[in-house]
Amino acid sequence: MEFALVVTEGPFTRQSSATACRFARAAIARGHRVWRVFFFHDGVGNASRHIEPPGREHNAAGEWSALAREHGVDLVLCVTAAQRRGICAEALAPGFRIGGLGQMVEASIRCDRTLVFGG
Amino acid sequence: MKNFVFVVRRAAHGTAHGRELAEAAMLAGAMDQSVAVAFLDDGVFQLKSGQCPAAVGAVAVTGPLAALAEDGLARLYVESESLAERNLSAEDLAVATQVLTRAEMSDLLGRADVILTA
């Protein structure tokens, strides 16, 4: 089965991003494909390469980057949501790219299931 | 074509969720998908007349929401129970919206291919 994920919460205050990333790994481990993860609303904050949690705390951007590197998952930010929150292309961690809401709709049209994490 | 339902459950201005979800609904409509926007719970306040967003430095939401329907990009639905629980009725709304009962809203969501919430 092909999945599209939508992450709508930021990297730290809520658990949504970490849950989404773990869901993606679990789905891939069971033979499914995560075709695209779209970051919308405050979810765009997960893409910042400046995230530096102390110690061994959850590093949202680092874990998403690893997922993209290991499994070729497409990580796309809503450009308007990103601009509103000061996330520019130069601030992105590896594996993320800036896109548009059309890519969220495209992913939902293509994939068998769309899951929203957050809200 | 897929059947999209965008679910708005929060009031306007306190969070940007409704406004950004409306932008996504517009995009889906422009990509020739079947699009509905459902207003539930505190989301019904998005539609209320008499808003003064400029007073809090915010942007009007009722105009863009009305334009979604007027431009044929999306159908707008509001839940009657959510209105009644907040002492509101269809006459209090600034945007032409079809009122559905909770059971009818459940059917709408049950028929959706994709449900996006915020």
Side-chain angles (χ1 to χ4, degrees):
Chain A
M1 186 175 282
E2 266 193 334
F3 286 95
L5 308 187
V6 180
V7 177
T8 66
E9 298 283 2
F12 188 71
T13 308
R14 297 180 188 270
Q15 197 180 340
S16 308
S17 170
T19 303
C21 196
R22 287 175 186 166
F23 173 87
R25 285 197 176 277
I28 292 165
R30 285 179 174 248
H32 301 295
R33 184 175 185 207
V34 177
W35 187 65
R36 175 173 292 160
V37 182
F38 192 83
F39 297 86
F40 192 30
H41 304 299
D42 284 353
V44 297
N46 291 287
S48 173
R49 64 185 175 89
H50 300 298
I51 293 173
E52 289 187 25
R56 300 174 67 180
E57 288 182 9
H58 172 73
N59 183 328
E63 294 192 18
W64 284 115
S65 291
L67 186 76
R69 185 175 64 249
E70 294 165 21
H71 299 289
V73 177
D74 190 21
L75 308 178
V76 182
L77 278 68
C78 169
V79 60
T80 312
Q83 287 176 335
R84 284 171 174 149
R85 293 161 178 84
I87 305 288
C88 57
E90 294 72 30
L92 298 184
F96 289 91
R97 65 190 178 100
I98 302 267
L101 283 167
Q103 284 159 303
M104 179 175 76
V105 177
E106 176 196 30
S108 296
I109 294 169
R110 172 192 165 117
C111 293
D112 301 300
R113 295 285 186 278
T114 301
L115 298 182
V116 180
F117 291 83
Chain B
M1 181 198 287
K2 281 195 174 178
N3 186 9
F4 283 73
V5 180
F6 292 82
V7 180
V8 181
R9 304 183 67 179
R10 305 187 208 213
H13 314 309
T15 80
H17 290 92
R19 185 176 161 205
E20 291 191 309
L21 212 60
E23 292 170 356
M26 184 176 66
L27 242 297
M31 291 173 71
D32 295 328
Q33 303 302 301
S34 169
V35 179
V37 184
F39 296 88
L40 314 176
D41 303 331
D42 281 349
V44 301
F45 286 118
Q46 299 267 351
L47 304 165
K48 192 176 176 314
S49 59
Q51 296 182 39
C52 301
V56 291
V59 177
V61 291
T62 49
L65 289 174
L68 272 179
E70 289 162 7
D71 295 343
L73 296 172
R75 304 174 310 280
L76 307 182
Y77 300 99
V78 63
E79 189 189 73
S80 57
E81 285 87 342
S82 294
L83 287 171
E85 287 160 5
R86 288 157 184 81
N87 202 27
L88 295 173
S89 68
E91 290 72 46
D92 296 306
L93 306 183
V95 182
T97 314
Q98 186 175 343
V99 180
L100 299 182
T101 65
R102 191 157 283 170
E104 290 169 333
M105 192 64 86
S106 178
D107 288 342
L108 178 79
L109 294 171
R111 290 194 304 272
D113 296 311
V114 180
I115 299 173
L116 291 163
T117 60

